[in-house]
Amino acid sequence: MSQRLDKRRTPGDAVSGTRREKDRVSEGDPIAELILRVAASDRAAFRALYQAASAKLFGVALRILQDRSEAEDAVQEVFTRIWLNARRFEPGRARGMTWLIAVARNHAIDRLRARPAPAEGDEAAERLRDPAPGPEAAAIARSEAGRIADCFGTLEPARADAIRGAYLNGLSYEDLAARHAVPLNTMRSWLRRGLLRLKECLEA
């Protein structure tokens, strides 16, 4: 008697199929490949992505905000969001750099709208092609623009500094442990728990 083969797909098959599809779509798009690796918590890919895209995203933020210091802050916040939300990237819908620019542009616009209402004819406002938000939308924008800064503010200063050093400046765990004079395992715990708190805060 011949055995019947069970051709039903298992959950593992579905996951593998999804990964293969993402790999196929991202071929020829190195930025997309880096984003997908970041979604898998690959720190080396995150550093490579920062090196490859930070200058471009800084230019986007600076063009909108017209303030170098604020644009620098915005780019750091954008990369924090990318680390936490890279899994939302869909390579079949947009190229990697296009997605990063959209994230940076939206965040910079949120920051711009969170400023006090500009006087009529203000040049920065003129550069925005989006319709002016109503009172409710403006309130949402102000809230969104400050979320990352507020969430970092919930961390102890040393731990917030360690997270920035690890994920934006590319410092190793060993370097950070030496800088903050704590054991290596303690530094790993700081980073793991700090990222978890940031994620919970941003998703709340």
Side-chain angles (χ1 to χ4, degrees):
M1 180 181 296
S2 61
Q3 293 182 341
R4 296 180 61 187
L5 296 177
D6 187 354
K7 296 183 179 181
R8 291 178 298 177
R9 297 182 65 189
T10 66
D13 293 332
V15 171
S16 297
T18 299
R19 288 175 179 167
R20 286 195 297 270
E21 178 65 15
K22 286 186 175 182
D23 290 342
R24 182 188 67 78
V25 173
S26 66
E27 287 179 0
D29 186 351
I31 297 297
E33 293 175 6
L34 287 174
I35 296 172
L36 294 176
R37 288 169 56 192
V38 170
S41 301
D42 186 329
R43 293 179 70 232
F46 185 75
R47 290 195 295 271
L49 184 65
Y50 185 83
Q51 292 173 355
S54 58
K56 178 70 172 179
L57 301 190
F58 174 74
V60 171
L62 182 61
R63 178 169 51 83
I64 293 172
L65 296 168
Q66 294 295 298
D67 182 285
R68 190 174 190 86
S69 177
E70 188 175 8
E72 290 173 350
D73 290 344
V75 169
Q76 289 199 3
E77 292 168 358
V78 164
F79 273 94
T80 301
R81 299 179 81 172
I82 290 168
W83 173 261
L84 295 171
N85 298 306
R87 65 186 181 281
R88 297 181 181 177
F89 171 61
E90 298 180 24
R93 300 184 61 181
R95 292 184 65 81
M97 184 60 78
T98 301
W99 185 75
L100 294 178
I101 290 173
V103 173
R105 181 178 182 276
N106 290 338
H107 185 64
I109 288 174
D110 284 344
R111 272 181 161 266
L112 189 61
R113 286 176 170 169
R115 294 174 179 173
E120 186 175 354
D122 185 271
E123 291 183 3
E126 289 296 327
R127 277 188 292 272
L128 279 179
R129 296 182 180 180
D130 304 68
E136 182 177 356
I140 293 173
R142 283 194 298 272
S143 175
E144 178 65 19
R147 285 185 70 192
I148 291 179
D150 289 344
C151 288
F152 263 103
T154 66
L155 303 177
E156 295 179 11
R159 301 189 183 197
D161 180 69
I163 289 175
R164 292 189 180 97
Y167 296 99
L168 297 179
N169 300 326
L171 297 179
S172 68
Y173 291 165
E174 291 80 3
D175 291 338
L176 290 166
R179 171 185 286 188
H180 292 277
V182 297
L184 183 58
N185 286 339
T186 298
M187 177 53 62
R188 290 191 176 119
S189 177
W190 279 16
L191 294 173
R192 183 176 62 254
R193 293 177 181 177
L195 283 174
L196 181 60
R197 284 184 60 182
L198 282 178
K199 183 177 180 180
E200 291 173 347
C201 180
L202 288 169
E203 292 180 349

